[in-house]
């Protein structure tokens, strides 16, 4: 009987057979596809298409070039005929020829348009328009030679503008009647109307020049022409006409506005100022009307801004001629504020935005004008640092300009300008995201006004100092009461305090009082700003120096007084854990310590004391867990103090300077290895041992006596034995190396004597032996390499 496997085993066998059949089928199909591809005849690739020669330009461009060139040649011919051949013909012949050619040129476009030859019609019409100009010129030369040329040109340009306009309208297009969709549209000419508008730019200007009118009349002619161009640009839908009108409006309008502004600025009498103001207001009205009708909001905004600037220039120039020079900028500023009031009206948004931009621009210029006296009031006292306690000046202005800094002219009203702009910022910017920035800007402007006010009013010196002190108190009070103290609110008080401190250097008592008051004020608000403790410590340092100088102390003794500041800084930093002001306070204390060290340099014994005290302060700081690195600074300061003291005692032994470094370094290294046994001996002991062993070895080499080398050898031997006992690499290497070099130094005289006693053939013989040994070693290595190659070659 046939053995039948279990169902599960039979199913596994069937799946295996089916997978093998599928794999065999895929292999056979791939082979079949390759055979079919191999039996097919090769297909040649299609030949590339022959290159097609394309024209380098289009037919319409060729046509336009030919027409323009033909029209230009005909125009040149007509000009040559008029100027050269005119005198050879009689009056009738001349009139007949020019009239016939002009009528033919102006009438031909009608027939050409009917045959739909528009470009040719444009070229012929251009020739006709040029011929009309020649006709006008010929008429003046023959019939009216004695007339004024500019006046004739003004009348002729007006007549030509009217004639070309009528001609363009006569040949203009007509709309297709309703219901005649199939009827072809009538072609029109594009050249006559823009040409007529270009000619219309000249009549008023030429008339003003012919009448020898003054600058106001010429400016009025420019502005009236620009107004007409503006009306045409806004009302006429033809694109070419709008383009010419826009160019005329912007060009002549800008020229006329600049001329009117110059007239307003240079006007000296009420009538001249009134005429210039009327011209500027006319230009402003035209610009405002244009901004009202312009569809593009961005362009409308800029045009409205120009209108606002022209209005300010017109209204601000009226009081300028009758008021002193320092009131010129305030007058324009008041006009700008009045223009800003138009923002609250129901004007369109682009216009209101443009007027606001114009008012803001004038205010920005006014603030820039008021900045030079602020800079003088702020930076002028700094020059007093080199003239300490030379006597108090009489006035506040003299206090800021004593050292050659001139007071700007017309600066008496600069505080008023700053206050007005600050008021506008505080009132105008409400309920927007710009409100915080506007508040900061207004505060800065008020601070600047308060800073420059004493010098601007030229009040007495003590009154100016008091006013500036009150400004600092007010600023610090504002910082103390603000909900979110920010550095930008603290900066005005800090800058004013620096200026006040420099001003106080004029007199001894004033300096002491001001520095003491500033120290107390900034210490009082130290919890509201990270810069306040720094400022308090800085002024405390300056106060310490001033007190020492007032007592007649020398600078080394003043250094002891200055050291009180690092002590206070260290104690304060310990209480400011987690505060952002902690690091600035510590840095300020460190700077004060460096100042104390610098003051004590002339007296070395006192310098050693100052360094030791600084080391004590640093060691006290290093007690805190997060300020352990200050211990390194404390160690370095202690070492420096010891060195300075040893130098003062006249100690010349190198070990006296190096051992105070080696002992603490070895203790720190031993403590580090106890905490981390994986620490390398080089890291723990290398620096400490090198500080003493290396300088002592260098000194022993130049020391002719025997005690130093002997003691150095004993110390190096002890270090080597310690390194061998504890298996430490750094002591073993450093101690052994120093011991070997020290022994070599001691044996050097005997080696020199031995070298002198040897025969002269011994050194060459020793050199020969060394070379033979090297050669034998080299040959042995080559033989071993060959033997290895032979063994490898016999391997199969």
């Amino acid at each position: 009987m046939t053995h039948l496997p279990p169902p599960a085993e039979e199913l596994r066998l069937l799946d295996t057979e089916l997978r093998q059949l599928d794999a065999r089928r895929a292999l056979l199909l791939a082979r079949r596809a390759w055979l079919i591809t191999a039996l097919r005849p090769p297909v040649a690739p299609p030949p590339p298409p022959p290159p097609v020669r394309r024209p380098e330009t289009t037919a319409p461009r060729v046509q336009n070039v030919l027409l323009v060139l033909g029209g230009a040649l005909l125009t040149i011919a007509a000009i040559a005929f008029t100027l050269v051949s005119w005198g050879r013909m009689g009056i009738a012949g001349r009139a007949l020829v020019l009239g016939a050619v002009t009528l033919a040129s102006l009438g031909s476009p009608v027939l050409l348009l009917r045959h739909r030859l528009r470009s040719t019609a444009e070229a012929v019409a251009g020739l006709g328009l040029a011929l009309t100009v020649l006709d006008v010129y010929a008429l003046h030369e023959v019939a009216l030679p004695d007339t004024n040329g500019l006046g004739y040109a003004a009348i002729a340009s007006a007549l030509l503008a009217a004639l070309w306009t009528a001609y363009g309208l006569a040949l203009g297009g007509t709309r297709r009647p309703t219901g005649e969709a199939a009827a072809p549209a009538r072609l029109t000419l594009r050249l006559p109307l823009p040409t007529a508008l270009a000619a219309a730019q000249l009549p008023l200007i030429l008339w003003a020049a012919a009448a020898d009118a003054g600058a106001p009349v010429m400016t009025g002619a420019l502005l009236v022409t620009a107004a007409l161009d503006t009306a045409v640009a806004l009302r006429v839908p033809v694109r070419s006409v709008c383009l010419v009108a826009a160019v005329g409006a912007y060009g002549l309008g800008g020229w006329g506005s600049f001329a009117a502004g110059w007239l307003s600025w240079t006007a000296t009498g009420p009538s001249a100022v009134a005429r210039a103001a009327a011209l500027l207001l006319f230009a402003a009205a035209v610009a405002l009307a244009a901004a009202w009708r312009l569809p593009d909001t961005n362009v409308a905004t800029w045009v409205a801004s120009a209108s606002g600037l022209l209005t300010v220039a017109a209204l601000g120039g009226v009081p300028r001629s009758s008021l002193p020079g320092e009131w010129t900028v305030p007058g324009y500023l008041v006009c700008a504020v009045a223009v800003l009031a138009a923002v609250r009206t129901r004007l369109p948004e682009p216009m209101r935005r443009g007027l606001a931009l114009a008012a803001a621009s004038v205010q920005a210029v006014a603030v820039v004008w008021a900045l030079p006296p602020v800079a003088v009031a702020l930076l002028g006292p700094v020059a007093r640092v080199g003239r300490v306690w030379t006597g108090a000046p009489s006035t506040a202005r003299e206090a800021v300009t004593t050292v050659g800094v001139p007071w700007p002219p017309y600066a008496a009203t600069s505080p008023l300008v700053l206050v007005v702009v600050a008021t506008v910022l505080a009132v105008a910017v409400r309920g927007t995201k710009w409100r915080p920035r506007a508040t900061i800007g207004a505060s800065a402007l008020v601070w600047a006004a308060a800073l420059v006010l004493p010098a601007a009013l030229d009040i007495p010196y003590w009154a100016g100092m008091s006013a500036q002190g009150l400004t600092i108190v007010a600023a610090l009070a504002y910082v103390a009461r603000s909900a979110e103290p920010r550095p930008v609110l603290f900066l005005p008080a800090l800058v004013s305090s620096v200026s006040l401190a420099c001003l106080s250097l004029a007199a001894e008592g004033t300096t002491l009082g001001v520095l003491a008051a500033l120290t107390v004020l900034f210490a009082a608000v130290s919890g509201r700003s990270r810069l306040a403790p720094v400022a308090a410590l800085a002024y405390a340092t300056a106060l310490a120096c001033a007190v020492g100088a007032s007592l007649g102390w020398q600078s080394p003794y003043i250094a002891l007084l200055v050291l009180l500041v690092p002590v206070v800084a260290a104690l304060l930093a310990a209480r400011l854990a987690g505060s952002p002001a902690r690091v600035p306070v510590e840095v300020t204390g460190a700077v004060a310590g460096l100042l104390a060290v610098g003051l004590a340099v002339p007296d070395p014994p006192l310098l050693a004391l100052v360094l030791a005290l600084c080391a004590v302060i640093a060691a006290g700081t290093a007690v805190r867990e997060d300020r352990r690195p200050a211990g390194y600074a404390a160690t370095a300061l202690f070492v420096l103090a010891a060195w300075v003291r040893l130098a003062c005692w006249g100690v010349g032994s190198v070990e006296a300077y190096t051992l105070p470094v080696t002992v603490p370094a070895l203790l720190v290294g031993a403590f580090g290895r106890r905490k981390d046994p994986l620490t390398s001996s080089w890291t723990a002991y290398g620096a400490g041992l090198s500080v003493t062993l290396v300088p002592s070895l260098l000194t022993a080499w130049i020391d002719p006596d025997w005690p130093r080398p002997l003691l150095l050898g004993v110390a190096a031997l002890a270090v080597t034995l310690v390194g061998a006992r504890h298996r430490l690499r750094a002591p073993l290497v450093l101690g052994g190396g120093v011991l070997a070099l020290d022994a070599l130094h001691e044996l050097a005289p005997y080696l020199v004597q031995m070298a002198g006693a040897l025969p002269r053939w011994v050194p060459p013989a020793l050199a020969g032996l060394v070379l033979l040994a090297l050669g034998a070693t080299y040959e042995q290595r080559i033989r071993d390499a060959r033997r290895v190659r032979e063994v490898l070659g016999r391997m199969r």
Side-chain angles (χ1 to χ4, degrees):
M1 295 180 63
T2 304
H3 173 71
L4 295 177
E9 181 65 20
E10 186 178 2
L11 180 60
R12 186 183 63 80
L13 294 174
L14 291 176
D15 289 341
T16 302
E17 292 292 338
L18 289 174
R19 283 195 297 270
Q20 293 178 355
L21 290 174
D22 290 339
R24 183 62 179 171
R25 177 180 173 79
L27 180 61
L28 294 175
L29 288 175
R31 182 64 180 175
R32 180 178 180 277
W34 182 84
L35 292 172
I36 292 173
T37 304
L39 293 174
R40 287 178 180 174
V43 180
V52 180
R53 179 172 297 177
R54 297 181 179 179
E56 296 181 356
T57 184
T58 60
R61 292 182 179 178
V62 175
Q63 163 196 303
N64 294 334
V65 170
L66 293 177
L67 292 176
V68 171
L69 184 59
L73 292 176
L74 290 176
T75 304
I76 293 173
I79 294 173
F81 170 76
T82 304
L83 297 179
V84 178
S85 301
W86 184 260
R88 302 177 182 177
M89 303 178 63
I91 297 178
R94 301 170 188 171
L96 181 62
V97 171
L98 272 181
V101 174
T102 303
L103 292 176
S105 300
L106 295 176
S108 298
V110 178
L111 299 177
L112 294 173
L113 290 175
R114 289 181 181 178
H115 290 83
R116 310 189 67 81
L117 299 175
R118 182 174 184 172
S119 299
T120 307
E122 294 282 1
V124 177
L127 175 62
L129 298 179
L131 288 174
T132 55
V133 177
L134 292 176
D135 291 339
V136 171
Y137 170 75
L139 181 62
H140 177 268
E141 292 296 325
V142 174
L144 304 170
D146 299 330
T147 58
N148 186 358
L150 291 176
Y152 179 81
I155 298 174
S157 59
L159 293 176
L160 288 176
L163 175 64
W164 292 347
T165 302
Y167 179 68
L169 294 176
L171 296 183
T174 57
R175 297 180 180 178
R176 289 183 297 192
T178 306
E180 296 183 6
R186 180 180 175 186
L187 296 178
T188 60
L189 289 178
R190 301 176 181 175
L191 185 61
L193 291 181
T195 307
L197 184 59
Q201 310 298 311
L202 302 176
L204 291 178
I205 300 174
L206 293 176
W207 169 78
D212 199 11
V217 177
M218 179 62 74
T219 304
L222 292 171
L223 293 177
V224 170
T225 306
L228 296 177
D229 290 333
T230 303
V232 172
L234 295 175
R235 305 279 301 186
V236 177
V238 183
R239 184 175 180 180
S240 58
V241 177
C242 287
L243 180 60
V244 175
V247 172
Y250 284 113
L252 297 180
W255 186 10
S257 299
F258 177 79
W262 181 255
L263 290 175
S264 176
W265 184 257
T266 56
T268 56
S271 59
V273 172
R275 287 194 298 268
L279 292 173
L280 288 172
L281 289 176
F282 176 73
V286 173
L288 191 63
W292 197 304
R293 294 291 303 273
L294 283 171
D296 192 341
T297 57
N298 293 328
V299 178
T301 299
W302 289 109
V303 174
S305 176
S307 175
L309 292 176
L310 291 172
T311 303
V312 171
L315 300 179
V318 174
R320 186 192 61 80
S321 61
S322 56
L323 293 178
E326 57 265 17
W327 290 97
T328 299
V329 175
Y332 284 105
L333 181 60
V334 171
C335 297
V337 175
V339 170
L340 188 61
V343 178
R344 301 295 181 182
T345 61
R346 296 183 179 180
L347 292 174
E349 176 62 22
M351 297 178 63
R352 289 189 282 119
R353 188 165 57 246
L355 294 176
L357 181 61
S361 301
V362 176
Q363 294 178 60
V365 173
V367 170
V368 172
W369 173 83
L371 287 182
V374 176
V376 172
L378 189 62
L379 301 178
V382 178
R384 287 193 169 272
V385 175
R387 303 179 60 189
V388 180
W389 298 349
T390 56
S394 58
T395 62
R397 184 178 298 180
E398 183 184 351
V400 299
T401 59
T402 301
V403 198
V405 181
W407 182 252
Y410 308 118
T413 55
S414 57
L416 177 62
V417 170
L418 296 172
V419 170
V420 170
V421 178
T423 305
V424 172
L425 284 176
V427 174
V429 184
R430 291 183 176 273
T432 64
K433 64 179 181 180
W434 294 94
R435 179 63 180 175
R437 301 178 184 179
T439 303
I440 294 175
S443 302
L445 291 175
V446 171
W447 164 74
L451 185 66
V452 77
L453 184 61
L457 297 179
D458 202 13
I459 60 177
Y461 169 73
W462 63 267
M465 294 280 293
S466 302
Q468 195 162 348
L470 292 176
T471 303
I472 298 171
V473 172
L476 292 179
Y478 181 72
V479 171
R481 298 187 60 182
S482 60
E484 298 180 358
R486 289 174 291 180
V488 70
L489 301 177
F490 181 78
L491 287 178
L494 182 60
V495 174
S496 296
S497 66
V498 174
S499 177
L500 181 62
C502 293
L503 279 176
S504 68
L505 297 177
E508 179 180 347
T510 307
T511 303
L512 297 176
V514 168
L515 291 178
L518 291 177
T519 304
V520 173
L521 285 175
F522 284 100
V525 296
S526 58
R528 303 297 296 173
S529 175
R530 71 177 64 179
L531 297 178
V534 176
L537 292 174
Y539 286 124
T541 304
L543 179 61
C545 295
V547 170
S550 177
L551 295 176
W553 291 1
Q554 298 295 326
S555 61
Y557 297 94
I558 296 176
L560 298 175
L561 197 59
V562 173
L563 280 180
L564 295 175
V565 177
V567 174
V568 175
L571 296 176
L572 182 61
R575 302 188 58 183
L576 293 176
S579 174
R582 185 179 185 180
V583 175
V585 167
E586 292 176 341
V587 172
T588 307
V591 172
L594 291 177
L595 177 61
V597 172
L599 292 174
V601 167
D603 191 346
L606 200 57
L607 175 60
L609 176 61
V610 170
L611 289 171
L613 293 176
C614 291
V616 172
I617 298 172
T621 303
V623 173
R624 300 199 302 269
E625 185 67 27
D626 56 343
R627 289 295 182 265
R628 297 298 188 198
Y632 297 106
T635 303
L637 290 171
F638 274 125
V639 171
L640 289 175
W643 286 358
V644 173
R645 175 53 62 183
L646 291 173
C648 294
W649 289 339
V651 176
S653 177
V654 177
E655 289 76 14
Y657 295 91
T658 58
L659 285 177
V661 181
T662 296
V663 174
L666 293 178
L667 293 176
V668 172
F671 180 74
R673 276 183 62 85
R674 178 173 296 181
K675 292 185 63 176
D676 186 8
L678 298 179
T679 303
S680 172
S681 63
W682 287 105
T683 304
Y685 307 117
L689 293 174
S690 300
V691 168
T692 295
L693 292 178
V694 174
S696 297
L697 178 63
L698 296 177
T699 307
W701 271 78
I702 60 175
D703 192 351
D705 298 328
W706 59 270
R708 183 185 296 275
L710 178 60
L711 294 176
L712 177 61
V714 172
L717 178 61
V719 171
T720 305
L721 294 177
V722 171
R725 172 66 179 82
H726 296 282
R727 297 180 182 180
L728 299 176
R729 183 178 299 175
L732 186 61
V733 172
L734 288 175
V738 172
L739 181 59
L741 292 175
D742 186 62
L744 179 63
H745 172 265
E746 293 301 312
L747 295 176
Y750 302 102
L751 294 176
V752 172
Q753 293 177 3
M754 184 181 300
L758 290 176
R760 295 186 177 181
W761 56 268
V762 173
L766 293 176
L769 291 176
V770 172
L771 292 177
L772 287 176
L774 291 176
T777 304
Y778 185 69
E779 182 180 7
Q780 180 68 28
R781 290 180 179 178
I782 293 176
R783 186 178 59 186
D784 293 340
R786 289 176 180 175
R787 184 177 301 172
V788 172
R789 186 177 61 184
E790 292 175 358
V791 171
L792 293 176
R794 290 195 298 267
M795 290 182 179
R796 300 295 182 187

